[in-house]
Amino acid sequence: MRTGRLTERSEFVRCYDAGRKFFSRNFVLFALARNDTSLDRRMGMAVTKKVGCAVWRNRIKRLIREVFRLHGDLAPAGFDFVVVPKRGINPRLLTYAAVTAELTALFPAVEAGKRGRA
């Protein structure tokens, strides 16, 4: 079992429909606060063929996974996240540092949005 990951289609759809969208230069982050009592963070990603060939899609997925592995504790607890790369992303210029900077910059906005709705 993959802990900390969204695996079912229904989980992704719920995050798309009921979650909030946050934008960076290369990514769209969907965030949905869960109602259960667990404080873990779960992550999923949707990298389509519009991004490029399989090599580039897998590279983007590896980078996103690594950011959540090393910096996931910066994300607010009790949320489901879905990361979607934008169509115009250039995988050749994408670095780990760039992905880290973009995604970790969105985490405070997610937390602020959570407080704004409560």
Side-chain angles (χ1 to χ4, degrees), residues 59-107:
R59 175 174 165 68
I60 292 170
K61 289 189 278 189
R62 281 194 309 270
L63 290 170
I64 293 169
R65 254 187 247 117
E66 190 68 5
V67 168
F68 271 88
R69 185 179 76 83
L70 295 176
H71 303 287
D73 55 336
L74 298 176
F79 272 83
D80 286 343
F81 297 99
V82 176
V83 180
V84 180
K86 290 184 178 177
R87 184 181 287 189
I89 193 169
N90 187 349
R92 292 181 179 157
L93 300 178
L94 203 59
T95 63
Y96 170 74
V99 176
T100 301
E102 284 189 41
L103 292 179
T104 56
L106 294 177
F107 294 151

Side-chain angles (χ1 to χ4, degrees), residues 10 20 28 32 45 49 78 92 94:
S10 61
R20 297 191 58 195
V28 178
L32 176 65
M45 58 191 128
K49 288 185 178 181
R92 292 181 179 157
L94 203 59

